[in-house]
């Protein structure tokens, strides 16, 4: 059973470019969460999605960031016009629909974004 | 709102010594609590979780944690440290166990194991 998959693992962008981060949840999981990890910090929640719906985006910056989880395909976290402060590790987690957080959330290996 | 405090950003122990990583939480309702481990340049791996059943929870790699409501604590322990335990450890809380909600993480504790 494949775990949560994220790609790319490393992404380098110049200031002003767009970054697209992909996440495929574990098989049978319909809930996806995106977290951001800055150096010396824990993980901070960004957005929570189910298929075709954004459930909670309270942790998302108001500008330049967007996320989707289409009916088919992976979840995408999109950062437009990247700035150096966007450099971080971005983690995706998934959980099954039944049982809530009782099952825990399962994390992917992360995408490390570097903005030059 | 719930929160997590991990005491000590860096803990160093000798190989074979007791590992104790501290976590205190704040939650308005009975929480679910989690410990995750992160090895360098990797994702987070679930070590163990407390979900309102037994207060002493056993996890992978010989780790365990005890939920103490009176102390609002969920400290992680391992009787004998191994070199392979060197990693970053994160405590997390969910205050809506029956739902699917984001986790709130502590800032992490980096564990070093000295030979």
């Amino acid at each position: 059973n494949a775990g949560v998959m994220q790609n790319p693992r490393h992404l380098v962008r110049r200031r002003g470019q767009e970054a697209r981060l992909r996440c495929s949840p574990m098989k049978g999981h319909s809930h996806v969460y995106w977290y951001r990890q800055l150096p010396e910090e824990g993980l901070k929640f960004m957005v929570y999605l189910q298929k075709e719906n954004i459930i909670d985006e309270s942790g998302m910056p108001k500008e330049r960031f967007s996320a989707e989880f289409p009916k088919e395909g992976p979840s995408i976290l999109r950062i437009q016009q990247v700035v150096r402060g966007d450099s971080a590790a971005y983690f995706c987690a998934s959980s099954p629909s039944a049982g809530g957080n009782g099952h825990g959330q399962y994390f992917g290996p992360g995408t490390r974004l570097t903005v030059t | 709102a719930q929160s997590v405090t991990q005491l000590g950003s860096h803990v160093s122990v000798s190989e074979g010594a007791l590992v104790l990583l501290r976590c205190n939480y704040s939650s308005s309702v009975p929480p679910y609590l989690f410990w995750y481990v992160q090895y360098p340049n990797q994702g987070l791996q679930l070590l163990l979780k407390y979900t309102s059943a037994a207060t002493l929870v056993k996890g992978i790699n010989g780790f365990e944690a005890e939920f103490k409501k009176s102390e609002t604590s969920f400290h992680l322990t391992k009787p004998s440290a191994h070199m392979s335990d060197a990693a970053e450890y994160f405590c997390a809380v969910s205050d809506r166990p029956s739902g699917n909600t984001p986790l709130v993480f502590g800032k992490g504790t980096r564990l070093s194991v000295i030979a």
Side-chain angles (χ1 to χ4, degrees), chain B residues 36-100:
Chain B
Y36 285 85
V37 60
Q38 183 181 31
Y39 297 100
N41 297 316
Q42 294 188 27
L44 277 70
Q45 181 182 8
L46 182 64
L47 269 179
L48 50 79
K49 59 188 177 187
Y50 166 74
T51 57
S52 73
T55 56
L56 182 61
V57 181
K58 294 187 183 299
I60 61 172
N61 302 339
F63 284 93
E64 62 182 37
E66 186 172 7
F67 172 69
K68 292 188 176 180
K69 183 179 179 180
S70 61
E71 299 177 7
T72 60
S73 69
F74 190 57
H75 301 330
L76 182 71
T77 61
K78 182 174 180 178
S80 176
H82 192 272
M83 298 296 289
S84 61
D85 294 328
E88 187 97 22
Y89 292 80
F90 293 95
C91 182
V93 64
S94 167
D95 70 347
R96 268 198 282 161
S98 61
N100 295 77

Side-chain angles (χ1 to χ4, degrees), chain A residues 9 31 33 35 37 40-43 45 48 56 91 95-97 99-110 112, chain B residues 32 34 36 38 40-44 46 49 51 90 94 96-108 110:
Chain A
R9 294 289 305 275
H31 299 255
Y33 311 80
Y35 295 85
Q37 183 180 34
E40 306 302 320
E41 295 284 333
L43 276 72
F45 165 71
Y48 160 38
D56 182 352
F91 291 95
S95 65
S97 56
N101 277 331
H103 295 283
Q105 294 179 10
Y106 293 85
F107 283 77
R112 281 155 182 83
Chain B
Y32 277 10
F34 308 84
Y36 285 85
Q38 183 181 31
N41 297 316
Q42 294 188 27
L44 277 70
L46 182 64
K49 59 188 177 187
T51 57
F90 293 95
S94 167
R96 268 198 282 161
S98 61
N100 295 77
T101 59
L103 299 181
V104 175
F105 284 85
K107 290 191 173 184
R110 183 173 302 278

Side-chain angles (χ1 to χ4, degrees), chain A residues 37-67:
Chain A
Q37 183 180 34
L38 294 168
E40 306 302 320
E41 295 284 333
L43 276 72
K44 301 291 187 185
F45 165 71
M46 299 182 74
V47 61
Y48 160 38
L49 310 103
Q50 294 179 29
K51 285 284 188 181
E52 301 184 279
N53 286 301
I54 296 175
I55 307 302
D56 182 352
E57 55 181 348
S58 59
M60 272 283 255
K62 293 289 186 278
E63 298 178 351
R64 303 187 297 109
F65 285 72
S66 62

